[in-house]
Amino acid sequence: MGTVHLPPDDRKKVEKLMPHTFVVLKRFRLRDEMRGLWLLLVLVAAAQAERVFIGDQVIRVNVQNEEQIQLLQALESQEAWELDFWLDPVSTELPVDIRVPRSSLSSVKEYLRVNNIAYSVLINNLQELLDAEKAEMEMNQMKERRTRSFNFGAYHSLETIYSWMDTLVAQYPNLVSKQEIGKSYENRPMYVLKFSTGGSKRPAIWIDTGIHSREWVSQATGVWTANKIATDYGTDASLTSLLNTMDIYMLLLANPDGYAYTHSNDRMWRKTRSINSGSVCRGVDPNRNWDAGFGGPGASRNPCSDSFHGPSAHSEIEVRNVVNLIQGHGNFKSFISVHAYSQLLMYPYGYSCEKVPDQPELDSVGRAAVQKLTSLYGTRYKVGSICNIIYQASGGSIDWSYNMGIKYSYAFELRDTGRYGFILPSNQIIPTASETWLALKHLMEYVRDHPY
């Protein structure tokens, strides 16, 4: 039966004759409208809700043989279990760390038991660590507002880091400038801090942090390091001589959309936030998107994978912005990318296990840098090419920079070795940054003293 539309005058007459019926009809209409509004609110809330990890565990397998690697790789392809491999099954030399959702714990543990694969639990309830991390951040924010200070031993939001950059530039206007190199996919500005004492297109060193958004100690180390460069210029003779002949460029938030998303929606988010055509899954792994062995081993063609390489090399605007700056400048002598975790210092290649022409020099310089790092707190790092020290991984940034002729291309994997993984407590930020600074400084001094 169709809807009957009464003229206004007739409607009033009927309403007088049957007032109760009209009240009931109004109630039904109002209830339907409220239900529609409620559904809309639920959908909006779901889109904006912060993901929780109650009962999720991070388990570690110390792989014994090649058969176990293959069994764990098969586990990786079980999409229904929604496993998040923090460290991939690639080698008997390296542990495998897996975040297992609570709903999949019994299935995964049974699979490991049946296949005689021993494991240990690193994190018993991930949400507890995340709750503590968030509470600490909120307390720090209140303290910073009250004291009008910036705590380098705390994690910060994108907006706070960008605001702090302006403060640094205002404090050291003759040394530091902030340059926008483009916008992100979600239209956030991407800023580099340029440390320079003058001249144009002088030999330069590139440092980026946070290309994988969930690796928060990377961005925090970048912030501490930028402050260290600014405050030590003029008092540290070696750094001063370096900045008198070279420039340093620092991109603290190489994946701004991803970083903002780790604060608002999903602490474990790694990729960019671009929309993938034909898929409900968003984002591309920005460190599989470079034009260096693009689409090869160690990268996924599945848009739902955390290592999805994207539709084409440099498809991600965040990657293109860096490529354009590096190529436009044309005089970078070192390219350093800072990740977490595993305590490694690596050089090219990732996409191939063949030795690069400069392998002996890159290896010896890396080992000397790590020796400096270890001297502070005894933190142990391994040194080697990406392919040989962890796994074959194509489309990485330092492979691209090396192929562009930037000889001194390195990637750090900062603390720790898995106890906390991506949720490194904030009380380790300054120790991590301080020891890493000694390695960075050695690399930069070597680049200064070995022009090419």
Side-chain angles (χ1 to χ4, degrees), residues 208-213 215-219 221 270 285-288 290 335-344 346 381 386 396-398 410-416 422 432 436:
D208 67 70
T209 59
I211 194 168
H212 288 143
S213 46
E215 300 167 6
W216 281 11
V217 74
S218 169
Q219 296 94 329
T221 293
R270 164 185 165 102
D285 181 342
N287 205 40
R288 300 291 184 275
W290 300 72
F335 186 106
I336 300 167
S337 189
V338 181
H339 298 249
Y341 61 99
S342 283
Q343 294 173 197
L344 309 170
M346 301 175 292
Y381 268 60
I386 297 168
S397 65
I398 72 165
Y410 287 95
F412 282 85
E413 292 280 0
L414 303 181
R415 293 189 188 186
D416 57 9
F422 301 122
T432 301
T436 306

Side-chain angles (χ1 to χ4, degrees), residues 11 37 88 171 178 208 219 241 265 274 332 337 397 420-421:
R11 189 174 179 278
L37 180 61
D88 290 304
Q171 282 179 311
K178 186 179 86 170
D208 67 70
Q219 296 94 329
S241 85
N265 288 68
S274 55
F332 278 91
S337 189
S397 65
Y420 295 101

Side-chain angles (χ1 to χ4, degrees), residues 26 84 101 109 118 161 184 386 397:
K26 281 179 180 175
D84 176 10
K109 289 179 179 180
I161 291 172
S184 69
I386 297 168
S397 65

Side-chain angles (χ1 to χ4, degrees), residues 295-332:
S300 174
R301 62 178 63 133
N302 177 5
C304 297
S305 166
D306 265 347
S307 56
F308 176 50
H309 52 55
S312 59
H314 304 168
S315 63
E316 301 310 283
I317 185 64
E318 295 84 0
V319 171
R320 281 205 309 280
N321 288 337
V322 176
V323 167
N324 292 340
L325 182 139
I326 299 286
Q327 289 182 332
H329 184 284
N331 202 18
F332 278 91

